[in-house]
């Protein structure tokens, strides 16, 4: 189009006006919008031509064909490998816990794992298999059905991608290109074939993007039934993706950024009444914040409801929660009131808190005395004796029973090593502002720094705070000499401390700091009668917050171990350029082998599109600043929502892995890859727009080259998807780079 100087009077107003949508009263859309014209009302009676029928119903026929191909690529030969592959060892085992109703702990929210459990139920599996990595599946586990269930989520990503591209206003050839790039992406097809969470994560990421795109298209039909439907569907989808993995928060951030911009634009529309603006705000708060949160919370409600039996994850939860699990030993036959000489485990009541723990290993710096930590698993090293202080009469095992009371000065003696819980004016190993806590001396050797004063905070079962009761009494331990308080936050020790929770003596006196609160979890004393402290229930909201903080703490502890080499881990910079793949199983000749590697055309093309789109936008921005009018406002709007928002989605899903210090793998890039694919589709659509105006045949010829390239490379690398059998040397032709470890 011809350039126009910025000083031209007829365009000056448009160039500098507010960013407010201009609506054409005739059709409710921005003038000149790059849209596919809905000509259903003006369309003439269909002719008998097959091509016309196919063209008219393409929006149904094409996705059906793509979906059928998706089910084939995700499911063909899915049961060929009969061994537990890669992370099936984790998520298959979690599914088993649901079938046995055993409480377990994992760093991810429960929805995806509940769906894995459902797949096992549908397959007739009873939860008895341990899912050890590399182990062959027994006949009682119909792993094929379980894998098919998971692969369905991966297959359904394809039609969702098709309709998302349509909602982003891409022309038909570009819609097909985006769909094929998802359909024939080798890594998507491979990871969808196993009992993992990734296919579910991708599916709900795709649905969230579709719902957002459709909701944006309805922005000029505010408060209509369809508008509300897609708003609420967006919220439900956000809740689902966040309930599978917290990576879903990145997709939530994308919708949040769009919502903030949309409301800001409405705020700048001086024609909009304040009441209507308030209605928009309330609708979005409910649909995009409250509704997703309700979905997320509901997944935990079902999680707690189903997992009613004791299991391997009990120690991550509060003592009172554990005491209400069927089959638990926590609180079972434990005497109600604690006496001197009692042996007990002491639980930190902070969110994600563990059990007070010690072991023979010493601090490598500081006092070099025996380490004190908090530990989340049952262990004899968690046991402690309540003893009187050194100024009190010597403890007599058969003497008169004396109960531990509020304000008593006591000693805590580690049952396995016989050393005293101790603190001194030495900085803690990680939290330097706190004092170090250690184990020192024995029952006879020690000093006043072994003394701790009991301060009762509350009791869930009684208004009498004079004594310590099993499970129900929250108390603090104040160091009698130093005045600091025993505390276990969410700081992990380095590898020399086995990544356990740092336990310190904090100088500040904050009675509301729950990480300084402790309770007796298990209690043994042959001289006291058994009680039933587990009859008191733990509130749902406290359990919900407790578990989420524990998940966050454990997730933060997943950092690379410098003392170990992880051949499967990879760096963030390797993913967009397809520098590395991942072996999902053993590479022996007798094993069906799978290799997580993307389609080079999809990866390299989508990564290049991110850079190219930046250059295109920069080019137009420079020309705009110089006063040239190359684009209509509707075209700017199209670039904004169909081009830049997918780029934003890529950044939101990619940059966190650049920043975070946790161990990373190639599959962490897969949600970001989808937004790069959408960017490629937009750029192809934009670049071929002049061809479409001049000659449709030339446009389709251009896209045909891209289709053939994507499909051809998928077929070329198809053995890594459907399984490589025999000697891996025969697949040497797929090892384009040394980092692609397809062969030895």
């Amino acid at each position: 189009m011809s350039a126009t100087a910025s000083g031209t009077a007829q365009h000056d107003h448009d160039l500098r006006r507010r960013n407010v949508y201009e609506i054409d009263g005739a059709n409710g859309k921005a003038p000149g919008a790059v849209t596919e014209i809905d000509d259903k009302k003006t369309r003439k009676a269909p002719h008998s031509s097959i091509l016309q029928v196919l063209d008219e119903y393409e929006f149904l026929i094409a996705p059906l064909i793509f979906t059928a191909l998706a089910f084939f690529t995700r499911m063909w030969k899915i049961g060929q490998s009969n061994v537990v592959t890669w992370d099936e060892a984790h998520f298959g085992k979690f599914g088993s816990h649901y079938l046995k109703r055993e409480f377990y702990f994992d760093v991810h929210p429960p929805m995806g794992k509940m769906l894995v459990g459902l797949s096992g139920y549908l397959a007739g599996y009873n939860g008895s298999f341990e899912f050890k990595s590399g182990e062959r599946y027994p006949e009682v586990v119909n792993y094929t059905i379980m894998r098919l269930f998971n692969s369905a989520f991966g297959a359904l990503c394809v039609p969702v991608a098709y309709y998302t591209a349509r909602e982003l206003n891409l022309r038909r050839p570009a819609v097909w290109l985006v769909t094929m790039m998802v359909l024939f992406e080798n890594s998507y097809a491979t990871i969808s074939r196993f009992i993992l969470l990734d296919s579910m994560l991708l599916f709900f990421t795709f649905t969230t993007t579709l719902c957002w795109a459709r909701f944006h298209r309805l922005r000029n039909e505010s408060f209509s039934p369809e508008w509300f439907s897609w708003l609420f569907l967006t919220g439900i989808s956000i809740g689902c993706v966040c309930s599978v993995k917290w990576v879903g928060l990145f997709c939530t951030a994308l919708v949040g950024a769009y919502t903030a911009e949309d409301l800001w634009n409405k705020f700048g529309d001086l024609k909009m009444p304040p009441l209507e603006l308030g209605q928009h705000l309330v609708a979005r708060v409910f649909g995009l914040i409250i509704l997703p949160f309700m979905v997320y919370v509901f997944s935990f409600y079902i999680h707690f409801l189903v997992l009613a039996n004791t299991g391997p994850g009990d120690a991550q939860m509060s003592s009172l929660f554990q005491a209400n699990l069927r089959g638990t030993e926590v609180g079972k036959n434990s005497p109600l009131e604690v006496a001197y000489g009692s042996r007990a485990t002491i639980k930190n009541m902070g969110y994600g808190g563990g059990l007070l723990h010690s072991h023979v290993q010493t601090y490598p710096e500081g006092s070099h005395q025996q380490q004190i930590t908090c530990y989340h698993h049952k262990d004899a090293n968690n046991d402690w004796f309540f003893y009187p202080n050194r100024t009190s009469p010597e403890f007599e095992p058969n003497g008169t029973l004396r109960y531990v009371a509020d304000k008593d000065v006591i000693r805590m003696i580690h049952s396995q090593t016989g050393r005293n819980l101790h603190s001194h004016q030495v900085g803690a190993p990680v939290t330097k502002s706190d004092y170090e806590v250690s184990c020192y001396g024995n029952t006879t050797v020690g000093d006043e720094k072994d003394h701790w004063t009991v301060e009762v905070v509350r009791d869930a079962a009684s208004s009498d705070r004079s004594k310590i009761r099993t499970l129900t009494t929250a108390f603090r331990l104040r160091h009698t000499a130093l005045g600091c308080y025993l505390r276990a936050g969410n700081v992990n020790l380095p590898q020399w401390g086995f990544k356990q929770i740092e336990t310190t003596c904090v100088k500040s006196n904050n009675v509301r700091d729950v990480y300084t609160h402790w309770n007796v979890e298990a209690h043994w004393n042959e001289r006291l009668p058994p009680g039933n402290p587990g009859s008191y229930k733990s509130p749902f909201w406290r359990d919900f917050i407790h578990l989420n903080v524990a998940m966050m703490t454990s997730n933060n502890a997943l950092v690379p171990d410098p003392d170990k080499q992880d051949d499967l881990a990879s760096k963030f910079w390797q993913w967009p350029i397809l520098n590395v793949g991942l072996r999902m199983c053993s590479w022996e000749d007798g094993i069906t082998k799978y290799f997580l590697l993307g389609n080079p055309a999809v990866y390299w093309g989508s990564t290049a599109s991110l850079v190219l789109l930046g250059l295109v936008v920069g080019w137009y921005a420079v020309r705009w600043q110089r006063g040239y009018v190359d684009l209509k406002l509707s075209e700017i709007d199209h670039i904004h929502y169909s081009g830049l928002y997918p780029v934003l989605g890529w950044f939101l899903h990619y940059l966190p892995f650049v920043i975070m210090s946790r161990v990373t793998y190639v599959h962490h890039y897969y949600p970001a890859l989808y937004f790069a694919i959408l960017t490629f589709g937009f750029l192809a659509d934009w670049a071929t727009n002049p061809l479409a105006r001049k000659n449709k045949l030339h446009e389709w010829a251009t896209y045909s080259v891209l289709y053939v390239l994507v499909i051809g490379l998928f077929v070329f690398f198809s053995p890594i998807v459907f399984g490589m059998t025999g000697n891996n040397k025969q697949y040497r032709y797929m090892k384009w780079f040394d980092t692609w470890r397809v062969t030895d």
Side-chain angles (χ1 to χ4, degrees), residues 82-86 88-89 129 131-137:
N82 64 346
V83 300
V84 179
T85 302
W86 197 37
E88 286 186 331
F129 185 54
F131 282 88
K132 292 182 179 178
S133 183
E135 191 171 298
R136 295 188 183 277
Y137 284 104

Side-chain angles (χ1 to χ4, degrees), residues 277-291:
L277 179 62
Q279 290 171 336
H280 275 287
L281 177 62
V282 170
R284 284 160 175 77
V285 167
F286 178 79
L288 301 178
I289 297 177
I290 296 176
L291 188 57

Side-chain angles (χ1 to χ4, degrees), residues 250-294:
F250 306 147
C251 200
T252 306
L254 175 65
V255 178
Y258 166 80
T259 303
E261 184 200 3
D262 187 38
L263 289 174
W264 181 252
N265 287 337
K266 285 177 169 52
F267 179 72
D269 184 359
L270 302 181
K271 297 179 181 179
M272 179 174 289
L275 179 60
E276 184 178 347
L277 179 62
Q279 290 171 336
H280 275 287
L281 177 62
V282 170
R284 284 160 175 77
V285 167
F286 178 79
L288 301 178
I289 297 177
I290 296 176
L291 188 57
F293 183 70
M294 290 170 61

Side-chain angles (χ1 to χ4, degrees), residues 415-490:
S415 68
Q416 293 297 300
T417 62
R419 299 191 182 277
N420 304 286
L421 184 67
H422 181 90
S423 188
H424 37 224
Q425 291 176 303
V426 175
V430 179
T431 311
K432 299 296 184 181
S433 59
D434 295 351
Y435 291 136
E436 177 192 270
V437 178
S438 63
C439 256
Y440 170 74
N442 51 43
T443 54
T444 57
V445 176
D447 54 29
E448 73 280 358
K449 292 181 180 178
D450 301 334
H451 293 168
W452 300 85
T453 301
V454 177
E455 296 183 359
V456 174
V457 179
R458 64 180 179 275
D459 195 306
S462 174
S463 59
D464 178 14
R465 298 188 178 186
S466 63
K467 296 179 180 179
I468 293 181
R469 294 175 178 83
T470 305
L471 296 177
T472 62
T473 302
F475 61 90
R476 305 168 81 203
L477 290 175
R478 177 172 59 84
H479 194 270
T480 310
L482 301 176
C484 56
Y485 286 84
L486 187 69
R487 188 181 193 274
N490 287 322

Side-chain angles (χ1 to χ4, degrees), residues 517-532:
H517 295 185
W518 304 82
N519 69 267
V520 173
E521 181 171 284
H523 177 204
W524 300 270
N525 193 320
E526 295 178 354
R527 301 181 65 192
L528 294 174
N532 186 28

